[in-house]
Amino acid sequence: MSYILNIETATKNCSVSLAKNGQTILCKEIAELGYSHAEKLHVFIEEIISEAKISFSDLKAIAVSQGPGSYTGLRIGVSAAKGLCYALSIPLIAIDTLTVLASQLDHNDGIIVPMIDARRMEVYSAIFNAKKEMIREVQAEILTEASFAAIDDVVYFVGDCNEKAKTVLTKPNFVFIDNVFYPSAKDMSALSFQKFEENAFEDVAYFEPYYLKDFMVQTKAI
């Protein structure tokens, strides 16, 4: 029996889930504008372990959302995950944040584009097929009318960028899913269990979140 604790803090959603053999059995999360991750994360972890009536020693691995996303949120989640792995001598699993977000959509057709808000018209995005396979890697980009215009298939957009994206992404094959805003730890369970089965672990000492920091560097106009 494999218990894995999943931690997702890449966005405004502070989310923790407990999975058994790839199935989510408990999840606690809260999405707040004030980013209460530092206050809530360890409380959620303690509550989940208690409510599941297991001990920390029963955990086989810790999975964390690796980014892209909020710098502060990612630091908090990764620090907590690495600390638990050190203390418990168990492996660390990293899950791509946009893959977690795309996993919430249940469609058998079309293309899935999960997007995480960066600032102004900037987003972090990736492209997945209907099988949830990434067919274009994670990118930081500025949304324009030309974004994703080359795709003729149905495109499902998910994430917290939909309202601003609708102002420029107007092709008739674009569909905005407005009830999926943030990645959630409950959707990490199958992904983390697959990596656990494959022994796809990170080096706890050297693992760092995926910030896409270079995108945030600006040059002054002359």
Side-chain angles (χ1 to χ4, degrees), residues 8 65 95-104 183-184 187-188 191:
E8 165 55 69
S65 180
I95 305 295
D96 175 76
T97 302
L98 290 168
T99 300
V100 177
L101 184 54
S103 297
Q104 297 189 49
S184 171
D187 300 300
M188 293 173 64
L191 298 168

Side-chain angles (χ1 to χ4, degrees), residues 56-122:
F56 281 97
S57 61
D58 293 315
L59 297 175
K60 300 299 184 184
I62 307 293
V64 67
S65 180
Q66 69 180 14
S70 157
Y71 181 91
T72 301
L74 288 170
R75 291 301 299 177
I76 291 170
V78 169
S79 295
K82 291 173 72 169
L84 286 168
C85 289
Y86 272 124
L88 300 170
S89 297
I90 56 178
L92 174 68
I93 297 169
I95 305 295
D96 175 76
T97 302
L98 290 168
T99 300
V100 177
L101 184 54
S103 297
Q104 297 189 49
L105 197 61
D106 186 19
H107 283 278
N108 296 319
D109 66 325
I111 299 298
I112 303 168
V113 178
M115 296 190 296
I116 293 175
D117 197 12
R119 54 189 176 134
R120 295 188 285 276
M121 293 305 291
E122 299 166 348

Side-chain angles (χ1 to χ4, degrees), residues 33-46:
L33 291 176
Y35 281 91
S36 58
H37 301 37
E39 302 168 14
K40 301 292 187 182
L41 180 58
H42 290 282
V43 173
F44 286 168
I45 292 171
E46 293 280 356

